Amino acid sequence: AAAWALEGAALLWIGVRQQRLLPRLSGLLLQLGAGVAFLQVLEAASGTLPVANGACLGSVLIAVAGLLSSFTLQRHRASLRVTEAEVHMAALLWGLGWWFFAGLREIERFVAWEDQINAKLLFITVSAGALLWLWRRLEWPALRYPLLGLLPSAALLALNFLEVRSDSHFFARWGALPWTLLFAVQYRI
């Protein structure tokens, strides 16, 4: 399924380069079908190693395909139809959704429960830092919108922390790392 998603992204890219509608639509539908097919075999793909298992790697590859499609559609939006040009945001949300699904699922499966909130905050913050870098490096303006979710996500995790670990503080254990990094990335944003 992950290979189909990558093939869908390649098909979309070819359709954009050749200015043909059918390959572009086929590429998007192939990615959607790949995601649905992958969800059906998700539990069977789950391995015992963190990150190096079929569920995580497949989700990441589907995410990469969605992000590449979004970037391609936005980069060439002047040569696309008006309704088609706006599909780049849906592809961006698709890719980011799979990215965060992969990371947060791995944290839920392999990180001890008392460290899960810090691990989730670290993953979200590093992901936001990568999006910020990609936005500026590739001049990809659509990435600025997901960055607006960093602070609300951190607030939700803080509320969850207060509910679950009310006897502790945010910097307990290794909590200083994700919270400090959060403030640094938020400052850069």
Side-chain angles (χ1 to χ4, degrees):
W4 290 349
L6 292 173
E7 289 173 12
L11 193 57
L12 182 131
W13 179 79
I14 290 170
V16 167
R17 299 290 290 177
Q18 295 178 351
Q19 296 183 355
R20 295 180 54 209
L21 179 62
L22 186 59
R24 292 192 302 257
L25 293 177
S26 298
L28 288 171
L29 288 175
L30 189 56
Q31 289 181 61
L32 183 63
V36 170
F38 188 74
L39 283 176
Q40 292 176 352
V41 297
L42 183 65
E43 288 308 315
S46 298
T48 57
L49 293 174
V51 181
N53 61 67
C56 181
L57 295 176
S59 298
V60 167
L61 289 175
I62 294 172
V64 167
L67 294 173
L68 288 173
S69 297
S70 175
F71 181 72
T72 301
L73 289 171
Q74 185 171 15
R75 186 64 71 186
H76 300 282
R77 68 186 308 168
S79 65
L80 302 174
R81 298 170 188 211
V82 176
T83 55
E84 191 182 8
E86 297 307 318
V87 173
H88 77 89
M89 284 304 287
L92 178 65
L93 291 174
W94 175 262
L96 289 176
W98 278 100
W99 172 256
F100 285 108
F101 170 75
L104 296 175
R105 185 174 185 275
E106 290 299 294
I107 291 169
E108 290 282 334
R109 290 184 64 219
F110 294 107
V111 175
W113 74 269
E114 58 269 2
D115 292 328
Q116 283 187 4
I117 293 174
N118 287 332
K120 288 176 183 178
L121 184 63
L122 183 63
F123 173 71
I124 291 170
T125 302
V126 168
S127 297
L131 290 176
L132 180 63
W133 181 80
L134 286 172
W135 168 29
R136 294 196 172 138
R137 178 79 174 157
L138 300 176
E139 297 176 9
W140 190 357
L143 289 183
R144 69 178 177 252
Y145 300 115
L147 291 173
L148 297 174
L150 178 61
L151 209 52
S153 298
L156 287 173
L157 287 171
L159 289 174
N160 191 9
F161 182 88
L162 292 174
E163 179 183 333
V164 173
R165 309 266 326 268
S166 60
D167 60 333
S168 188
H169 57 85
F170 292 120
F171 285 5
R173 299 177 64 89
W174 55 281
L177 173 67
W179 287 102
T180 305
L181 188 61
L182 166 76
F183 292 122
V185 170
Q186 186 63 40
Y187 176 75
R188 291 295 299 162
I189 292 172

